[in-house]
Amino acid sequence: MTSDSSSGDPMSANNGSALAALRIDTDSDRPPFEQVRVGVIDLIESGDLLTGERLPTVRALASRLGVAANTVARSYRELEAAGVIETRGRQGSFIRAGRHDALDAGFAAATAYVETARELGLDDSVIVEMLNRVLGRT
């Protein structure tokens, strides 16, 4: 894996697996956009989505859920208005409000480490190897 994998499909990243639990219940009285909104909040509260994690694009999530892109876009807009997520232009949408516990702090530290290592020119396979070596020492 090289550093260019970070710009790949976020559905294949860790948050993709967390969002895999998200489903649309077509028999529910709750509209699909609301099911997505509440589903994201539930995943944050459970610790499956952490502050700073990137969400899939509107189109990617809509495709996976089998709903219109406008449905997911409305969910994202409402989550952003509530301060739960933030959109950073072309970089995408990210979890903004989390549980603010050790998981969030650890994720922030890991993100900072990866960003620094990439700035040093290391690719992802080297970064992972370094982490594995450090973990083997603890």
Side-chain angles (χ1 to χ4, degrees):
M1 182 184 309
T2 61
S3 61
D4 62 324
S5 66
S6 65
S7 62
D9 180 10
M11 288 301 290
S12 64
N14 289 339
N15 62 0
S17 60
L19 285 169
L22 192 59
R23 299 274 186 261
I24 300 298
D25 180 359
T26 56
D27 295 327
S28 174
D29 291 336
R30 180 176 281 173
F33 80 89
E34 182 69 8
Q35 292 181 48
V36 173
R37 187 187 71 78
V38 170
V40 169
I41 290 170
D42 288 346
L43 289 168
I44 292 168
E45 289 176 354
S46 69
D48 291 323
L49 286 174
L50 302 173
T51 301
E53 278 194 84
R54 183 175 177 202
L55 291 170
T57 64
V58 166
R59 287 184 183 164
L61 185 56
S63 175
R64 193 186 66 69
L65 294 174
V67 298
N70 286 341
T71 299
V72 175
R74 181 172 177 186
S75 300
Y76 279 19
R77 280 192 308 271
E78 291 195 9
L79 288 164
E80 188 166 22
V84 176
I85 69 171
E86 65 180 327
T87 301
R88 302 177 192 159
R90 292 187 180 266
Q91 291 180 345
S93 297
F94 296 81
I95 302 299
R96 181 174 179 201
R99 297 175 346 164
H100 303 291
D101 60 6
L103 286 174
D104 280 339
F107 186 76
T111 300
Y113 162 70
V114 170
E115 288 172 357
T116 300
R118 285 181 177 155
E119 287 171 5
L120 293 170
L122 302 176
D123 69 22
D124 287 359
S125 62
V126 172
I127 294 169
V128 169
E129 176 60 29
M130 293 174 102
L131 285 172
N132 286 331
R133 288 170 70 183
V134 168
L135 290 170
R137 292 183 185 170
T138 58

